[in-house]
Every structure is written in C-alpha cells, then in structure tokens.
Amino acid sequence: MAPGLDYYRSSEPKETPVVQVITVDRSSSESSSTASESSDCLTLSPERPLRPGVYYNPRLDPKNFLDGPLSYDPATRLRQMLARPGIVIAPGICDGISARCALEAGFDCLYQSGAATTASRLGMPDLAIATLNDFVQSAQMVCGLSPTTPVIADADTGFGGTAMVARTVYQYARAGVAAMHIEDQVQTKRCGHLMGKQVVSREEFITRIRAAVIARDSIPGGSNFVIIGRTDSAQVLGMDEAITRLQLAADAGADVCFIEGVKTSELLTKTVEALKPKPVLVNVISGGLTPSFTCKEAELYGAKIIIFSLVSCVAAVHGIRAAMRSLKKTGTDFSSAQGMDPKAFFEVMGLHDVVELDARAGGKAFELV
C-alpha cells in the first residue's frame, strides 16, 4: 500500500463507522419512499466497495444537527447551518487579507475558491495549474484565522484517482476545512464559467464521490466533514444529465449537490426540486453563466448555499490596479491609501488580538505599537 493510505484501513474494524447502502430504483417513487423503511438492507464497512444504491450514515442524518448551540467544530457547525432555516452565504476569499475582511463584515462561512487560490498564490488562471499542496497550504492559513468558522473549499477533480481523492479529504479535514466540493470535469479542468469544458463519465464521477465518502468515514473518531458533489455537465450534456449526475452523487453519499453554470431561476428551481431533500449549492459570478442572483433570490428558488467565488479577487484587481495606476501617474500612494495608516491596516489583520495575547501571557514586547 502506498505511504499514507494505510490511514484509511482501520486496524480496529469494530470501531469502523457503519453505513447502510440501500438499493433503490429511482424510476419508481414508490420504491424510493419504502426503501428507507425496509429492514432488508446491506450493512457494509467503508473498507469494502460500495454497491450501487443509496448511502446512509445514521450518525450524519440532518436531524441530529437541528438542536443545540452551534458547535466549535467547523464541519459540525456547517451541518447545523445546513439543517436549520436560512441560506448559508459564503463569500469567496483569495488570501488572508480577503478572509480578514469577510470576517470583519460578519460572514459566518467562507469559500476558498480554486480560481481565487490559483490567482492569488500563483498569479495564474484557473486551468488545472494549482496543486493539492497549493490548496491545502492556503486552507491551513484561512482556517487558522477563525477556527470555528466553516470554510468550504474547492477540491477541483480530487487531483487524481481515488487514492488522491482520499488523500485530499484527509488533508483538507486535517487543515480544518469544513467541506469540499469535487467535480466531474476531466483532469485538465478549467473554471466552470469558461467555455470548452469536458467531463468524465458518470461512473468515474461517482467513483470520485465514493472515494471521498469512504475517506471521510474512515477518519478515526467520526468526522462530520461535508462532501459536496459538483457537476459541470449542464453546459456539455444538458441539464437533465446534470441533474441525473447529482442524483447519483447524492445516492453515493454526497451531502450537498452543486450545480455549476445554471442559467435561469427556473432551472435552479427544477434542480432543487429534483434533488430534495439534499441541499443545493449555487455559484454566482458576475458576468458568468449563472445570473447574478441575490442571496434572498437564491433562497427563494430553494438553494441552501450560495457562494460568490470571485467577489474578493475581482475587487482586489480593481482596487490594486487603480492604486498602481495612481502611483504611476502621481508618484505617491497618498490618495489610494484613503487615510489608512499602517496601524489601521494591521488592526484589520488582527493586531489587537496578538497584542492582547502577549500581554495576558506576561509579555512586554508589544506594550507600545
């Protein structure tokens, strides 16, 4: 076995989480409604290959997250937010500065966009250039700024085969990420709002989802890490195929379904209805394939999560570009600073918390700053 993959093979099978896989014929609504009541179900250990059917882990049932105070564990907190009324709003962040600004504005969930991560870390377009290490290192930093705030992170295609998908789940969970989405594009993927996308077969997509679910369920102690299945097939194979793929992903254990590039409110509503009771995530990018739904509109159409992938990095481009042009033209940064001195900037970055910590510990290094 490859180094590290023994993590997913429990040395104590008796403690392995138990799941139920119930065979369901989706063509019959009657069979769907009675399958969950059937006692003739197959009990499987996650180490064994999952048979075609419906994944169900009673520990992760949304009913378990309806009551009680919000957890300090970000994955558990996200499940609580999904189980309770209201839409989850996650602005896209691209670095520590944008994450700090989002937290300052009062957002209780963040989205680590693959496009934004690639742009901020590498200065490159979203064309399958960033690696797992790039994404994990960014996630570690972001999750460390507010450890209880759920971070939903892009995981592209899982960065390889099933072993890499499993490794991605483990590294994201260890970094403190609450949820990740994995998609059905080919490995040489691109931003979901660009043209020319290609997708893998249904079977390969579902294999990725299963690998993610198995990895999550194999984390010792029982992880609440959220698996989001994303399809980019609507622009390639049509909405009906996209919905079918998300239904299959939900059956394989995806906790949330992500329809990329949905072009109208009617199609979003149709998707939500077809996937009930699974929560649906919608991605809004100004000028992209999806209309610029407001949070209230998305909630009205039935979406449970709305992300704004490029909100911070597009704003950064506009702001930094204007500042650089002003500096080039005037020879000073006075106007672009807008009165923000260094201390005011560092206060946005958490200066007060660091100074307070040092003082409480008995330090005297920052008595004057």
Side-chain angles (χ1 to χ4, degrees):
M1 180 172 289
L5 292 185
D6 55 339
Y7 183 89
Y8 301 103
R9 178 174 290 177
S10 174
S11 60
E12 300 180 40
K14 64 182 180 180
E15 295 185 1
T16 301
V18 175
V19 300
Q20 293 177 323
V21 180
I22 307 171
T23 301
V24 172
D25 179 5
R26 273 202 171 270
S27 64
S28 169
S29 59
E30 182 177 355
S31 64
S32 296
S33 62
T34 59
S36 60
E37 301 172 0
S38 173
S39 61
D40 184 21
C41 61
L42 178 65
T43 300
L44 294 176
S45 164
E47 285 89 353
R48 294 171 56 190
L50 299 180
R51 298 180 184 178
V54 174
Y55 168 96
Y56 174 68
N57 187 335
R59 185 179 63 79
L60 299 178
D61 193 302
K63 294 178 182 177
N64 297 331
F65 301 92
L66 283 171
D67 302 316
L70 289 176
S71 173
Y72 290 114
D73 173 70
T76 304
R77 179 176 289 228
L78 180 58
R79 286 187 179 273
Q80 292 172 318
M81 294 165 70
L82 291 173
R84 301 174 187 188
I87 190 169
V88 176
I89 305 167
I93 51 91
C94 57
D95 56 13
I97 297 175
S98 57
R100 286 286 190 184
C101 291
L103 293 170
E104 181 186 58
F107 287 100
D108 54 11
C109 186
L110 303 177
Y111 175 61
Q112 180 178 295
S113 159
T117 300
T118 304
S120 64
R121 290 185 66 85
L122 305 178
M124 300 291 284
D126 186 11
L127 297 176
I129 297 170
T131 67
L132 171 60
N133 289 344
D134 292 318
F135 281 68
V136 171
Q137 289 166 11
S138 180
Q140 288 172 333
M141 177 273 297
V142 170
C143 294
L145 296 178
S146 179
T148 62
T149 300
V151 174
I152 301 170
D154 191 346
D156 281 356
T157 62
F159 307 101
T162 54
M164 279 302 295
V165 171
R167 186 165 178 259
T168 300
V169 170
Y170 168 56
Q171 293 208 19
Y172 273 38
R174 188 174 182 180
V177 173
M180 77 173 208
H181 63 74
I182 186 167
E183 67 198 46
D184 58 356
Q185 285 198 57
V186 296
Q187 294 297 338
T188 50
K189 61 144 290 174
R190 65 195 64 198
C191 170
H193 291 254
L194 294 178
M195 299 297 102
K197 293 188 292 185
Q198 294 177 292
V199 295
V200 298
S201 66
R202 290 183 186 177
E203 292 74 19
E204 184 171 348
F205 174 45
I206 301 309
T207 296
R208 292 175 182 175
I209 299 297
R210 287 198 188 108
V213 172
I214 291 170
R216 188 269 314 283
D217 288 349
S218 299
I219 294 176
S223 171
N224 289 330
F225 188 77
V226 177
I227 305 297
I228 302 174
R230 162 179 158 173
T231 183
D232 286 76
S233 60
Q235 288 73 54
V236 184
L237 303 172
M239 279 297 299
D240 288 342
E241 175 65 16
I243 290 174
T244 297
R245 287 183 176 223
L246 290 179
Q247 288 172 330
L248 292 171
D251 288 349
D255 301 294
V256 177
C257 294
F258 177 173
I259 179 73
E260 180 65 297
V262 61
K263 292 185 175 181
T264 67
S265 58
E266 291 78 15
L267 289 175
L268 177 56
T269 301
K270 176 183 176 181
T271 302
V272 170
E273 289 298 319
L275 294 170
K276 281 183 176 179
K278 286 290 180 182
V280 170
L281 181 155
V282 63
N283 180 23
V284 173
I285 298 178
S286 181
L289 296 172
T290 299
S292 293
F293 299 134
T294 66
C295 299
K296 289 184 178 180
E297 289 172 339
E299 184 175 14
L300 179 64
Y301 304 143
K304 187 60 183 177
I305 304 176
I306 183 170
I307 59 176
F308 296 87
S309 295
L310 298 182
V311 61
S312 62
C313 54
V314 168
V317 167
H318 288 310
I320 296 171
R321 179 182 280 167
M324 293 301 173
R325 288 175 174 171
S326 174
L327 175 60
K328 181 71 173 177
K329 180 179 180 180
T330 66
T332 176
D333 69 345
F334 182 81
S335 61
S336 61
Q338 299 182 48
M340 177 177 280
D341 61 28
K343 186 174 181 179
F345 172 72
F346 294 137
E347 285 175 347
V348 179
M349 300 303 113
L351 174 66
H352 175 75
D353 293 336
V354 176
V355 171
E356 182 182 31
L357 171 64
D358 183 72
R360 290 176 62 190
K364 299 180 182 296
F366 305 117
E367 287 183 327
L368 179 65
V369 290

